[in-house]
Amino acid sequence: MGDAVVQALRTALQVKDDPELRCALGDRLLQLGDKEGAVAEFDAALKLDPTNVRALEGLGKAVPVSRAPAPVASEGEVGGKPPLRLVTDEDEPPVASISFASVAGMEEPKQRLTRSFLLPLKNPAMVKQFGKAVSGGLLLYGPPGCGKTFLARALAGEIGARFINVGLNEVLDMWFGESERKLHELFENARRLAPTVLFFDEADALGQRRTQLRGSAGRNLVNQLLSELDGFAGKNEGVFFLAATNHPWDVDPALRRPGRFDRLIFIPPPDADARRALFRLKLEGRPVAAGLDEAHLVQKTEGFSGADIEGVVNAATELALEASVAAGEVVPVDDRLLLRALRDARPSTRPWFEVARNHAVYANEGGVYDELLAHLRSIGLA
Amino acid sequence: MTVERAAARAEAALRLARWDEAMRAAVELIAADPDDSTGFAMLSRAHLGKNEFKLAQKAAEDGLARTPNREWLHRLRCHALRLQGRYDDAVAAAEECVRLMPGASESHGARAKALAALGRREEAMAAYDRAIALDPHDALLHRELGDLLLSQAPAEAERHYRAALAINPSDAVTLNNFGASLARQKRPDEAALAFKSAILADPTLRVAKQNAHSTLSSQLGAAAGIGGALWIALQAVRVAGTVESGIAIGAMLLAGFAYLVWRLVQKIRRSERLEALKAKDQQLYEIFTRLEADKKAGRL
C-alpha cells in the first residue's frame, strides 16, 4: 500500500504500539478498501485494549455481522423437526495418526492408560472371565499445558480409532438452544463412525456439578450427557469416552459413576524425558549452538509445563534475535541465552497444585485423588 | 457469527466462569452492534469475574452511554463501585436501580449490600427484607442478611443461613457463616460440623479451615505446653539462687512442679478427647489432624 498516511502510521507504530494509532490505521485502510488489513489492525488494537470502542466499531464496519439467527434446520426437514445432521466424508475426523511412541517420557501415565484402558479393550474375553465389564471412560486430570489432549490423541492412535475432540467452543455452542439435540447428534456421529474416541476437553464445562449451575440450560446438558453415556439414546459399542479437565472437583459426581468416567488418571507435568523432547521440538528449525547442555536445562525445568518450556524457548529466541541484530550476524540460541530466559521463568503449574492440594488432602473421598496425593508428597506439598 | 450466537456464547461462558472466553464473545457482540448495550453488560460481568473492578465500571458506563435507563448496567456499575470501596457512589447507583425497577429483588439486594458496606445497617436490613419479600428463593439474599445480623443477633442470623441452605445446601460460604453463628451461640459441636461441611464443599476455603481448627482446638483443650512448664520450673530454680528464704524457694519449686503436672493431665485429657472424637466422627478427626499438620507447616 503506497498511501502516505498509511506509511506514516506504520512508522509511528514501529516506535510505539498504540491502540489509537492502530484504529487510525484501520480506519484509513477501510477508506482505501483494504478490509483484510483493516480487520488485522482493529484486531491488534483490541488485543492491546479489549474494550476499545473505536476498534470494536471499526471491526463492525469491516466485518458486517449477520443479525439473523443461526440456521438450525437443513434441507430435507421432515415433520417440522430438523433431521440429525451426519458428518459427510469430508467432515469425518481421521484415524488418529500418533501413538504412545510419539509421546516422549510420561511412562507412568502411559502404563496406567494401557493397564486400565488398552489391555481390557484388546483382551475383552479375558476381562469378562474376571467378571469385569469392557466399558466406561477415563477422566484425565492435571495442571494445564501438560499434554492431556496429546495423550488422549495418542491413546486413540493406539486403539486405531477416529478421534473426535469436543472442546470448549462446541460446549459453549451447546449451552443454549437445542442443546440436547446437538449433544445427541454428536454421539450419533461418533456411533456411526465407530470405532471412535469421543474426547471431551475441559470436561468440567460440559459436565459441571449441577449444584453449581443456576438455570436449566446447564442442568439439561448434564442430564443429556449422562443419558448418552449410559447408552439409553443409542448403543455405544465401539465408542470410547475420554475426558480431560484441570478441575476434576468441579465435575458432576454422577459423571464419575461406573460405566461413565469411572477412572481418574492424574497427568503430571512433563518428566525429564518429556522435557528433553520438548526442548528439542521447540528449538527445531531455529539456529541453535552445538552441544547444548540438555541435562542441565532439564534439571532446571522441574515442574514446568509444555507451555512453560515453549515460553522459555521463545524468550531465548528473542534474546538471540536481539543479539543478532546488534552483531549484524546470526547469533544462535545457546545455553547462556536459555539460562538467561529461565532466570525469569517460573513453573505455571504451581498455583494449580496449591489448589489441588486442598482437594487431595481434605476431600479425597474413596481415595479418588491418591495419585495426585502421591505426587504432592514427592514435591513436598503434602 | 450471529448476534444471537455471540450473546448465547457470552452468557454460557459467564455461567461457566470462563472469563476470557466471555470477554471475547462480549467483544464480538459489541463489534456486531455497538449501539446495543448487552455486550457492554457482559463485558462488565466478565471484568467483575476477573476482579478488574475499574474496567467493569468502565464497561458498564460505556453501556449506559448507549442506554441510560438500563437497570442491569446501573447494578453492574454499583457492584464495581462498591468493590472499589466507593460506597457512596455505589449507593447512588443502587438507588438509580431501584428507581428504574422497583419490583426487582436484585435492585434492592444491590442497594442493601452497598448500604451495609457504608455502615448504614438499619437501612440495609430494611432493603434486604424488601428484596427477600420480592424473591424469597434467592439464597444469596438470605446469606447476606445473615452476615449483617451475625455480630448482634446470631440466632436471627442462623435462621437466615438455614433458609439459604434450604435453597442451596452445598454453598461453602453459607455453611461456614452458619457455623460461625452457631459458635457465637456457644454450640461448638454443631459449629464444628458446619465447618466440616464447608471444608468438604470447598476445601480451598481457608477461613472455614481456620474456624474448624480453632473450634476443635478449644473443645479438645490447648496442646500441652510441656516446654512452658519446664521454663517455669527452670525460672523457679534460677530465682532460688537469689532468694535467701528456703520457704520461698520450696514454694516456687512446688508451683513449677504443680504446673508441670497440670499440663501433663491436660495432655492426657486432650488425647482422650481426640480418641472420643475419632470414635464419634472419624471424618472430622481426620480433618482435624490434617489441619494440625497444616498449622504446624504454616499453611493454615
Side-chain angles (χ1 to χ4, degrees):
Chain A
M1 186 71 65
D3 185 76
V5 178
V6 171
Q7 293 296 352
L9 285 166
R10 285 201 199 284
T11 311
L13 278 166
Q14 279 175 359
V15 180
K16 191 188 174 204
D17 200 358
D18 177 76
E20 288 306 318
L21 283 176
R22 292 247 172 226
C23 288
L25 181 55
D27 285 340
R28 183 66 186 165
L29 289 170
L30 208 55
Q31 279 174 7
L32 295 169
D34 180 4
K35 281 191 180 177
E36 211 171 294
V39 168
E41 294 307 328
F42 291 130
D43 211 30
L46 284 171
K47 274 186 190 137
L48 296 168
D49 175 9
T51 58
N52 191 301
V53 174
R54 192 176 165 191
L56 293 169
E57 285 172 349
L59 209 55
K61 281 183 220 157
V63 191
V65 180
S66 159
R67 290 191 61 81
V72 287
S74 56
E75 281 178 35
E77 275 185 35
V78 181
K81 284 212 164 189
L84 292 174
R85 194 185 70 85
L86 299 178
V87 287
T88 61
D89 286 345
E90 301 89 72
D91 292 335
E92 280 189 14
V95 173
S97 57
I98 58 167
S99 65
F100 278 167
S102 326
V103 184
M106 313 287 277
E107 291 309 322
E108 214 177 302
K110 281 194 279 191
Q111 278 173 18
R112 281 269 290 147
L113 287 168
T114 305
R115 226 172 21 241
S116 56
F117 207 71
L118 280 180
L119 288 181
L121 279 176
K122 287 178 179 167
N123 305 283
M126 195 173 286
V127 173
K128 274 181 188 158
Q129 277 186 343
F130 281 92
K132 292 194 82 178
V134 189
S135 63
L138 282 183
L139 178 62
L140 311 178
Y141 74 98
C146 291
K148 293 186 286 292
T149 307
F150 193 61
L151 259 177
R153 210 177 271 277
L155 185 62
E158 290 284 331
I159 303 167
R162 293 179 195 283
F163 186 82
I164 300 178
N165 191 346
V166 187
L168 185 64
N169 272 337
E170 288 79 12
V171 172
L172 290 181
D173 281 342
M174 271 184 229
W175 255 65
F176 290 94
E178 300 172 310
S179 54
E180 290 94 330
R181 188 185 66 84
K182 288 176 195 159
L183 196 61
H184 181 60
E185 189 179 281
L186 182 79
F187 273 79
E188 278 299 292
N189 281 335
R191 287 168 191 136
R192 190 179 70 86
L193 296 168
T196 317
V197 167
L198 201 46
F199 176 64
F200 298 94
D201 212 349
E202 302 199 43
D204 51 299
L206 184 60
Q208 195 167 62
R209 274 174 190 268
R210 281 164 290 181
T211 51
Q212 291 174 354
L213 294 169
R214 294 181 85 185
S216 61
R219 285 164 191 259
N220 290 348
L221 203 54
V222 178
N223 291 338
Q224 180 69 20
L225 178 61
L226 294 175
S227 156
E228 295 289 351
L229 287 170
D230 290 343
F232 293 138
K235 287 215 181 300
N236 286 333
E237 212 160 300
V239 184
F240 310 105
F241 305 117
L242 278 179
T245 178
N246 305 335
H247 311 278
W249 36 85
D250 286 337
V251 173
D252 196 290
L255 274 172
R256 302 214 304 256
R257 293 208 186 114
R260 298 169 182 167
F261 295 104
D262 48 6
R263 282 154 292 171
L264 261 75
I265 293 194
F266 171 59
I267 307 296
D271 56 21
D273 285 344
R275 295 202 296 280
R276 184 175 290 112
L278 277 166
F279 268 114
R280 284 180 191 165
L281 182 76
K282 302 294 174 195
L283 284 166
E284 217 171 62
R286 305 180 197 216
V288 181
L292 272 189
D293 187 355
E294 283 180 346
H296 189 52
L297 287 172
V298 164
Q299 185 220 327
K300 284 269 183 191
T301 48
E302 177 81 52
F304 277 53
S305 70
D308 294 338
I309 289 174
E310 187 175 359
V312 169
V313 170
N314 285 342
T317 307
E318 274 171 28
L319 291 171
L321 193 63
E322 207 176 287
S324 301
V325 171
E329 60 177 356
V330 173
V331 176
V333 177
D334 59 10
D335 283 330
R336 188 182 55 86
L337 293 178
L338 281 162
L339 289 174
R340 225 174 99 190
L342 256 172
R343 224 171 28 207
D344 303 322
R346 296 281 173 277
S348 64
T349 55
R350 186 76 184 189
W352 185 89
F353 279 114
E354 296 285 352
V355 173
R357 182 188 177 281
N358 291 295
H359 293 273
V361 171
Y362 290 101
N364 188 18
E365 294 299 305
V368 73
Y369 299 125
D370 280 352
E371 273 185 290
L372 169 63
L373 205 52
H375 184 81
L376 287 166
R377 284 190 185 120
S378 75
I379 60 172
L381 261 179
Chain B
M1 184 184 287
T2 63
V3 170
E4 288 76 9
R5 188 169 164 232
R9 281 176 69 84
E11 184 60 42
L14 285 168
R15 290 200 197 180
L16 290 167
R18 302 300 209 266
W19 309 122
D20 291 328
E21 199 58 45
M23 261 182 210
R24 269 193 287 277
V27 163
E28 280 173 26
L29 198 54
I30 295 168
D33 187 354
D35 293 328
D36 183 5
S37 56
T38 307
F40 289 98
M42 288 179 163
L43 189 60
S44 179
R45 282 169 69 189
H47 281 306
L48 281 174
K50 289 186 83 176
N51 296 335
E52 296 168 348
F53 307 130
K54 272 199 173 160
L55 290 171
Q57 181 197 335
K58 184 180 176 299
E61 284 168 357
D62 283 344
L64 283 168
R66 283 152 181 84
T67 48
N69 286 333
R70 201 157 178 194
E71 184 270 348
W72 189 20
L73 288 161
H74 283 287
R75 186 153 30 96
L76 288 165
R77 183 170 173 268
C78 164
H79 290 316
L81 289 165
R82 180 176 50 76
L83 290 162
Q84 290 174 70
R86 292 173 55 185
Y87 303 133
D88 282 312
D89 294 333
V91 170
E95 271 160 6
E96 189 60 14
C97 295
V98 173
R99 187 186 68 78
L100 289 166
M101 281 187 79
S105 65
E106 291 92 343
S107 309
H108 292 278
R111 182 168 170 268
K113 205 161 183 175
L115 286 166
L118 201 56
R120 286 157 61 180
R121 199 166 168 276
E122 296 303 317
E123 288 170 85
M125 280 202 296
Y128 272 125
D129 284 339
R130 178 86 192 110
I132 289 172
L134 287 164
D135 184 1
H137 302 296
D138 187 333
L140 190 61
L141 290 173
H142 284 287
R143 185 180 94 194
E144 287 174 0
L145 180 52
D147 293 347
L148 195 61
L149 291 161
L150 183 61
S151 59
Q152 293 179 21
E156 266 294 285
E158 180 197 339
R159 195 171 62 79
H160 282 286
Y161 291 135
R162 282 190 190 278
L165 289 169
I167 300 162
N168 183 4
S170 57
D171 183 65
V173 175
T174 310
L175 284 163
N176 172 72
N177 297 2
F178 174 54
S181 73
L182 296 169
R184 277 179 182 266
Q185 295 174 75
K186 309 263 182 273
R187 289 151 65 187
D189 286 349
E190 291 169 82
L193 286 179
F195 294 136
K196 178 183 88 169
S197 301
I199 294 169
L200 292 173
D202 180 3
T204 63
L205 194 63
R206 179 182 286 230
V207 69
K209 290 191 278 192
Q210 289 168 338
N211 285 340
H213 185 261
S214 72
T215 304
L216 286 166
S217 292
S218 32
Q219 270 188 293
L220 296 167
I226 296 294
L230 285 173
W231 183 83
I232 287 191
L234 282 171
Q235 290 303 307
V237 172
R238 195 172 67 80
V239 172
T242 60
V243 178
E244 287 185 0
S245 165
I247 295 167
I249 296 165
M252 283 174 124
L253 281 172
L254 196 63
F257 180 71
Y259 180 73
L260 191 63
V261 170
W262 179 72
R263 295 303 295 184
L264 277 169
V265 170
Q266 287 278 91
K267 190 183 178 187
I268 293 163
R269 277 194 186 158
R270 191 172 188 273
S271 313
E272 285 170 357
R273 284 177 193 147
L274 257 176
E275 281 303 310
L277 176 67
K278 191 177 176 182
K280 189 175 144 198
D281 188 337
Q282 172 84 19
Q283 199 178 34
L284 188 57
Y285 167 80
E286 281 171 10
I287 286 177
F288 180 69
T289 53
R290 284 166 203 155
L291 288 170
E292 284 270 274
D294 272 2
K295 174 115 180 141
K296 272 183 197 154
R299 285 198 184 109
L300 196 61

